Amino acid sequence: MAYPDDLLSDGERVVLHKHPHWKMLLLPYLYLIVVLGLGIWAAILVQDLTWATIAWIILGALALILVIFLFFVPFVRWRTTHFIVTTDRVMAREGVINRTGIDIPLSRISSVRFEHGLIDRIVGCGTLIIESSAQEPLEFDDIPRVEKVHTLLYREVNDNPNDDYSRVDGRQ
């Protein structure tokens, strides 16, 4: 899904658009399997009771509530979280009802680094840490292929023709 062009400034283009890594969904999928398994098991147990229809309705409602809160909400949160690098800025957006976002102009970024542990390396993701002038470092967790994103962002920061350093050495 591409980032909407009408939200970009004139001449700005999207270089990279990512959602968090799929590892963020492992626990919600596990919850989904467990809830469905327990729901089927409980439905089989109550089928011979005299009030089986009422028990099935209660089990179905309980399973629906659990699936919504344990699977659907995290899935929507994952799907509506965006990490975007454009030719002018780095953007992070998340949320459906309470939408939050942050924009960091490339000219304000002073350093970019990444971290990933063993599990992150196995599944191919990590944490991207961006330091900008006069702010604490911003950490973006579960970025897929974080090393490539780090390299791309580093290149964008250093090749940005709008930064103050490029005007000093004569490039425009």
Side-chain angles (χ1 to χ4, degrees):
M1 176 174 143
Y3 194 72
D5 289 335
D6 60 338
L7 299 177
L8 301 175
S9 61
D10 292 336
E12 184 178 21
R13 65 178 176 78
V14 174
V15 176
L16 176 80
H17 179 201
K18 296 223 178 237
H19 293 284
H21 195 268
W22 55 263
K23 85 168 190 169
M24 194 175 164
L25 295 174
L26 287 177
L27 202 55
Y29 272 108
L30 180 65
Y31 289 149
L32 177 66
I33 292 167
V34 168
V35 167
L36 291 176
L38 288 176
I40 291 169
W41 177 73
I44 291 170
L45 285 180
V46 300
Q47 73 182 357
D48 292 333
L49 298 176
T50 55
W51 45 275
T53 305
I54 294 171
W56 283 342
I57 291 171
I58 292 170
L59 285 172
L62 182 61
L64 181 64
I65 290 168
L66 288 173
V67 166
I68 287 172
F69 284 106
L70 297 177
F71 175 74
F72 187 70
V73 169
F75 181 80
V76 170
R77 187 177 300 127
W78 172 80
R79 190 70 184 123
T80 59
T81 300
H82 303 271
F83 179 79
I84 304 128
V85 177
T86 71
T87 53
D88 296 339
R89 57 191 162 153
V90 173
M91 299 183 284
R93 302 283 189 267
E94 62 183 44
V96 176
I97 297 170
N98 291 332
R99 191 101 173 121
T100 61
I102 186 167
D103 291 7
I104 307 167
L106 292 179
S107 60
R108 298 275 174 107
I109 295 175
S110 56
S111 73
V112 181
R113 61 188 173 99
F114 68 91
E115 296 175 353
H116 54 175
L118 180 62
I119 300 298
D120 289 342
R121 290 181 72 187
I122 290 170
V123 297
C125 68
T127 300
L128 188 69
I129 301 160
I130 298 175
E131 294 182 25
S132 61
S133 54
Q135 284 186 339
E136 290 187 26
L138 296 169
E139 294 187 9
F140 301 99
D141 296 323
D142 296 327
I143 301 292
R145 303 178 72 186
V146 71
E147 290 184 47
K148 292 191 184 282
V149 174
H150 169 264
T151 302
L152 179 106
L153 186 54
Y154 180 78
R155 284 185 188 144
E156 284 297 317
V157 167
N158 287 324
D159 293 342
N160 187 1
N162 297 326
D163 66 14
D164 296 331
Y165 302 110
S166 65
R167 281 187 233 119
V168 172
D169 70 4
R171 294 184 307 174
Q172 294 271 331

